[in-house]
Amino acid sequence: MRILITAGGTREYIDPVRFISNASTGKMGYALAQKASARGHVVTLVTGPTAIKPPSRVHLIHVVTSADMFKAVKDNFDACDCLIMAAAVSDYTPLRTSETKIKKSAAPLTIELKPTTDILKWAGRNKNGQILVGFALEDESLREHAEQKLRDKNLDLIVANAPGAVGADVSTVHIKPADGPWTTLAHTAKTKIAGKLLAQIEALARSRPA
Ligand code: CTP
């Protein structure tokens, strides 16, 4: 399969030197890219800034902002059989980006934010046979909220986890295909989760008419 994977967090710039981001390290997305390539898939990895050494034999696209990530996904979507959105895409971006470094003053500073495009939702509306895999990061009612995302974003498979997974090497995840039951992988290395997830994706692909 040709698998498009996103990884890491995005940066949304306030001024030339400051940005809003999140704690994502890219570990899950990079583990998926490495395992997918090892299983013989052709992998394109769209990555936000991370400190991880990229796997070899993977087509890398470096992005910084959520807008860059959206463009990279749009440009590569038609040519993929499966999109896995493991990236922690910023949900908001500053309404205005200052062209010069913002000077400090004694007064409180308010930064107005506007919503970014939901890339996965866009993919769900525009899919043409691609298998869509999303992640759901939830504090509470994990499975219920994740199932809502599965439906709202028109996904084929969802991986639900808790915020403790961000940046960790080991995580507990719950996986559900659109038409199948939940399975749980408790306290499992992200490299192993990646293998199990790809096996489920491959099974989904095999179950589809050619
Ligand atoms: N996602 C995306 N584009 C965004 C935000 C999220 O493609 N602008 C994707 C993520 O990569 C992930 C999935 O949507 O695969 C769910 O992300 P999550 O942060 O759990 O949920 P949100 O949809 O952002 O909703 P909320 O933050 O309100 O839970």
Side-chain angles (χ1 to χ4, degrees):
M1 296 168 78
R2 295 161 300 175
I3 306 187
L4 180 60
I5 299 171
T6 66
T10 60
R11 292 179 178 178
E12 310 302 321
Y13 276 85
I14 298 162
D15 74 12
V17 290
R18 281 102 166 206
F19 54 81
I20 296 169
S21 192
N22 56 66
S24 170
T25 55
K27 280 178 187 162
M28 192 66 241
Y30 275 62
L32 282 162
Q34 198 276 325
K35 286 275 179 200
S37 168
R39 292 169 86 99
H41 301 290
V42 176
V43 178
T44 299
L45 177 62
V46 177
T47 175
T50 71
I52 311 177
K53 191 171 165 278
S56 49
R57 291 187 296 119
V58 159
H59 176 223
L60 265 185
I61 302 176
H62 288 280
V63 296
V64 176
T65 66
S66 59
D68 295 342
M69 186 168 276
F70 183 34
K71 184 177 184 310
V73 169
K74 268 198 297 193
D75 288 350
N76 290 277
F77 190 59
D78 283 347
C80 81
D81 304 303
C82 171
L83 166 66
I84 309 177
M85 282 293 305
V89 187
S90 180
D91 287 331
Y92 293 92
T93 194
L95 196 57
R96 286 171 291 274
T97 302
S98 171
E99 281 178 20
T100 53
K101 183 175 164 250
I102 297 169
K103 283 285 183 195
K104 73 176 165 220
S105 82
L109 175 68
T110 302
I111 299 165
E112 267 190 286
L113 304 174
K114 62 179 179 192
T116 59
T117 304
D118 189 316
I119 302 171
L120 198 49
K121 201 162 190 170
W122 173 87
R125 287 200 186 110
N126 291 281
K127 72 178 175 184
N128 180 22
Q130 291 94 336
I131 292 175
L132 286 194
V133 180
F135 280 72
L137 199 62
E138 310 288 350
D139 278 297
E140 54 184 13
S141 312
L142 208 103
R143 289 184 176 193
E144 195 185 321
H145 287 159
E147 279 194 52
Q148 180 114 31
K149 283 179 188 166
L150 181 85
R151 284 192 301 272
D152 287 354
K153 303 194 189 197
N154 195 21
L155 307 181
D156 299 287
L157 197 121
I158 192 118
V159 184
N161 53 14
V166 177
D169 289 320
V170 169
S171 170
T172 295
V173 296
H174 308 265
I175 304 173
K176 188 191 182 306
D179 305 322
W182 282 102
T183 50
T184 297
L185 300 173
H187 305 291
T188 307
K190 283 186 178 173
T191 47
K192 196 164 174 191
I193 293 172
K196 299 258 185 200
L197 195 54
L198 286 160
Q200 284 220 25
I201 292 168
E202 288 160 6
L204 266 183
R206 277 195 301 272
S207 72
R208 292 187 165 191

